[in-house]
Amino acid sequence: MNGLTMMIIAIVVLGGAYLLYGRYLAKSWGIDPKAKTPAYEMNDGVDYVPADTGVVFGHQFASIAGAGPINGPIQAAIFGWVPVLLWILIGGVFFGAVQDFAAMYASVKNKGRTIGYIIELYIGKTGKRLFLLFTWLFSILVIAAFADVVAKTFNGFSTEGTTIEANGAVAMTSILFIMAAVALGMFLKYGKQSTTVNTIVALVLLVGCIVVGLTVPVYCTTGFWHILVFIYIAIASIVPVWALLQPRDYLNSFLLVAMIGAAVIGVILFNPEIHLNAFNGWVIDGNSMFPYLFVTIACGAVSGFHALVSSGTASKQIKNEKDMLPVSFGAMLMESMLAIIALIAVGFLATDGAVPTDMTQPQIFAGAVATFLSKLMIPEHISRTIITLAVSAFALTSLDSVARVGRLAFQEFFLDSTVDDEKMNPFLKVVTNKYFATAATLIVAYALAKVGYASIWPLFGSANQLLSALALIACAVFLKKTNRKGFMLWGPMVAMLGVTLTALTLTIYGKGMALIDGVSQTIGGDILQLAFAIALFILGIIVAIQGFNKLFEKEVSTDHTTLVE
């Protein structure tokens, strides 16, 4: 097998899926181009702000990608390239893209409400509160992890104390990105120019930031960047989306799509050989393919976090219902393509059929793609720096969105459809205040990032996939209650529930036995993992049971029409 053949297979499958399956879903569920979307109906200038298709696509794609589609396939490649390729393509089309589209569709049809509100509306208040609690805890995990990743990527000093030029360049460029995003946001809102003019302005700002960043690097420690990153995401989670979130994601989308496009061209021209074995076995290094493969490859195949972005932020910016298909379904397939590139990268650098063990996943990705781009006469050090910049942009952009999602989940936990905003008691006014909710979310995440988020990081994959199962159940109930076809969600939701509960059961058993037998090397970390695993398992079971009860009840409720278009 070679990289070009693998790339062609992916392009045909993913492109065909968009043209055929995506359009089939849109036709089955119903798209009304003349309907007034929540972005207009609920326009508040903060979260509900209508935006052009390209802007919302940039936000969606940059937010959902993160570092997941790069890390996951490379880690799972221990089983061989065949199972990884199959799961990315099958999962990306029939699991991930369907989930993302369904979550956004359900949200837009319910005034831009999040999945939590949809669960309350169609399943019940208890299910909603449990789901929001789950979402808040999950958001804290993501914030802590990604903030630490970004801070270490920006770290300008090696362990020997020497400066790292590439990291300094990435840090400076990222700072300039934020400043340029604010300027672009003002231009997009008040300039009222055509899409072509907006695109030209964005590209000029993007290139300018990269050029200055490469020539004037900035060198600071990881601790400094930790503080600065958290200050940034605190601001990003509360300011109007048009002022920072939309323009920053719009800028980043050009960089990220350009990176993927250049990587595709590089693969076509270089045609790398895949040195990874097709299949290495069902159990590798004590890890069984089920459920390890399906938990490790989340982004790129299916990710519950995507449902939070689709219903939490992107749905509030949709200008026309017809934009939902490219923004949700299309962005997911683009992420699957990125996962395929990561698989080709690790396959190219593999030796004796095995994954390299002397490099991190981002290093494998950057090293391989930089080699591919040598065919385009691009110097390798520039390629590596730009690719590293793109990877950090993925993570930083995800932070923008997940901080806002965590803040919204915290606020919504204390609210329901019966609460009158004008008559809230003092307690509710405090806990639902966006500044308090942001502080409550980020203070915990900062502490976790500083004192040991890694102890519970192994649960990230299980938590993410459990979110996917619960989101699919909620969307399936919504489709049934509104007399729309939902059979295409049933297989994925059952499969992901099985994967997740199996993974959590193995974690509970493994950590429990380690503590009982006294062989635990990190007692505090294992207790923390065990506690989180049990909590996630219980939350997942309760919400799933409530969802299935609603899904299979015979009588169809008709008393929720006020929020359904």
Side-chain angles (χ1 to χ4, degrees):
M1 174 63 72
N2 56 57
L4 179 58
T5 302
M6 193 178 293
M7 181 67 68
I8 291 174
I9 292 173
I11 291 174
V12 171
V13 171
L14 298 176
Y18 181 85
L19 295 175
L20 299 176
Y21 194 43
R23 290 179 176 177
Y24 165 76
L25 294 176
K27 184 177 180 180
S28 296
W29 295 340
I31 296 293
D32 184 2
K34 298 181 180 179
K36 190 175 183 180
T37 63
Y40 286 107
E41 185 180 359
M42 313 276 292
N43 192 340
D44 60 4
V46 179
D47 295 315
Y48 289 85
V49 179
D52 291 337
T53 309
V55 175
V56 189
F57 176 88
H59 162 69
Q60 176 79 4
F61 177 60
S63 297
I64 67 175
I70 294 173
N71 291 349
I74 294 176
Q75 291 178 2
I78 59 174
F79 294 104
W81 64 263
V82 169
V84 174
L85 177 66
L86 290 176
W87 174 231
I88 290 173
L89 295 181
I90 295 174
V93 173
F94 297 104
F95 287 65
V98 172
Q99 175 210 251
D100 294 8
F101 189 19
M104 181 172 288
Y105 183 85
S107 179
V108 169
K109 289 295 187 180
N110 285 277
K111 299 187 182 299
R113 309 279 190 177
T114 65
I115 290 293
Y117 263 112
I118 291 170
I119 288 178
E120 176 189 4
L121 188 63
Y122 296 100
I123 296 177
K125 293 181 181 180
T126 301
K128 171 227 175 178
R129 293 189 186 280
L130 292 175
F131 179 82
L132 289 175
L133 176 60
F134 189 106
T135 300
W136 185 66
L137 293 173
F138 174 77
S139 297
I140 289 172
L141 283 175
V142 178
I143 293 169
F146 279 40
D148 194 41
V149 169
V150 171
K152 289 178 179 176
T153 302
F154 290 176
N155 175 35
F157 301 98
S158 67
T159 53
E160 292 79 21
T162 58
T163 58
I164 305 174
E165 185 175 352
N167 288 11
V170 169
M172 174 56 82
T173 304
S174 298
I175 293 173
L176 293 174
F177 265 17
I178 296 171
M179 298 169 62
V182 174
L184 181 61
M186 300 292 288
F187 180 81
L188 292 175
K189 183 173 179 63
Y190 299 109
K192 307 295 183 182
Q193 299 297 316
S194 66
T195 301
T196 301
V197 173
N198 292 338
T199 301
I200 293 174
V201 171
L203 289 175
V204 170
L205 288 172
L206 174 63
V207 174
C209 290
I210 294 175
V211 171
V212 175
L214 288 172
T215 55
V216 189
V218 60
Y219 302 104
C220 297
T221 63
T222 300
F224 172 83
W225 289 120
H226 263 138
I227 296 173
L228 199 63
V229 166
F230 271 91
I231 291 174
Y232 163 71
I233 59 178
I235 296 172
S237 69
I238 58 177
V239 298
V241 292
W242 65 264
L244 184 58
L245 196 68
Q246 285 180 349
R248 174 178 157 72
D249 293 349
Y250 189 40
L251 276 175
N252 279 337
S253 67
F254 287 106
L255 173 64
L256 304 179
V257 172
M259 181 196 73
I260 294 175
V264 170
I265 294 173
V267 169
I268 292 174
L269 295 178
F270 196 91
N271 191 18
E273 286 295 323
I274 302 299
H275 304 296
L276 194 66
N277 291 334
F279 181 66
N280 286 323
W282 298 101
V283 179
I284 304 296
D285 297 332
N287 297 306
S288 173
M289 185 181 296
F290 181 88
Y292 183 85
L293 176 76
F294 306 97
V295 171
T296 302
I297 305 178
C299 300
V302 58
S303 167
F305 174 60
H306 295 189
L308 301 183
V309 175
S310 296
S311 68
T313 57
S315 64
K316 297 174 175 62
Q317 304 171 51
I318 291 293
K319 202 172 187 178
N320 190 300
E321 284 194 8
K322 66 181 181 181
D323 295 342
M324 289 190 287
L325 180 61
V327 169
S328 59
F329 202 92
M332 178 61 225
L333 297 183
M334 179 72 76
E335 188 179 17
S336 295
M337 179 58 69
L338 178 59
I340 293 295
I341 295 172
L343 175 59
I344 294 173
V346 69
F348 172 66
L349 293 182
T351 54
D352 298 325
V355 176
T357 57
D358 58 343
M359 293 185 288
T360 65
Q361 288 81 31
Q363 287 174 334
I364 291 173
F365 182 82
V369 175
T371 302
F372 302 158
L373 294 181
S374 65
K375 286 289 186 179
L376 299 177
M377 308 302 293
I378 301 176
E380 187 171 333
H381 75 281
I382 293 180
S383 296
R384 284 179 178 269
T385 300
I386 294 178
I387 293 167
T388 303
L389 170 64
V391 173
S392 69
F394 274 130
L396 194 57
T397 306
S398 294
L399 278 170
D400 292 355
S401 297
V402 76
R404 189 173 292 257
V405 167
R407 185 258 291 176
L408 291 171
F410 187 91
Q411 290 176 283
E412 290 179 14
F413 179 83
F414 299 96
L415 298 173
D416 57 49
S417 56
T418 63
V419 174
D420 186 346
D421 292 345
E422 302 294 331
K423 300 179 180 178
M424 285 194 297
N425 61 50
F427 173 77
L428 282 181
K429 287 182 178 180
V430 171
V431 295
T432 59
N433 178 275
K434 66 179 180 180
Y435 300 105
F436 181 87
T438 298
T441 302
L442 297 187
I443 288 173
V444 178
Y446 181 78
L448 200 60
K450 297 295 290 184
V451 302
Y453 81 89
S455 296
I456 54 175
W457 180 250
L459 291 173
F460 170 78
S462 297
N464 190 31
Q465 303 303 65
L466 184 51
L467 266 176
S468 175
L470 300 181
L472 285 165
I473 293 173
C475 291
V477 173
F478 157 75
L479 292 172
K480 178 184 177 181
K481 295 295 185 181
T482 55
N483 297 316
R484 294 178 171 93
K485 295 179 181 178
F487 66 88
M488 58 286 288
L489 274 63
W490 290 34
M493 72 184 184
V494 172
M496 296 318 300
L497 200 60
V499 165
T500 302
L501 296 181
T502 300
L504 289 174
T505 299
L506 292 175
T507 299
I508 293 170
Y509 176 80
K511 298 302 177 184
M513 292 303 297
L515 291 170
I516 292 174
D517 295 339
V519 297
S520 173
Q521 296 180 346
T522 55
I523 295 178
D526 284 343
I527 291 176
L528 197 57
Q529 289 189 54
L530 180 62
F532 264 78
I534 293 173
L536 295 174
F537 188 93
I538 294 173
L539 285 171
I541 288 290
I542 294 174
V543 177
I545 289 175
Q546 290 185 334
F548 281 128
N549 286 338
K550 290 292 183 181
L551 191 60
F552 294 113
E553 68 179 8
K554 293 182 179 180
E555 184 178 354
V556 178
S557 175
T558 58
D559 58 353
H560 299 307
T561 56
T562 55
L563 286 180
V564 181
E565 297 180 3

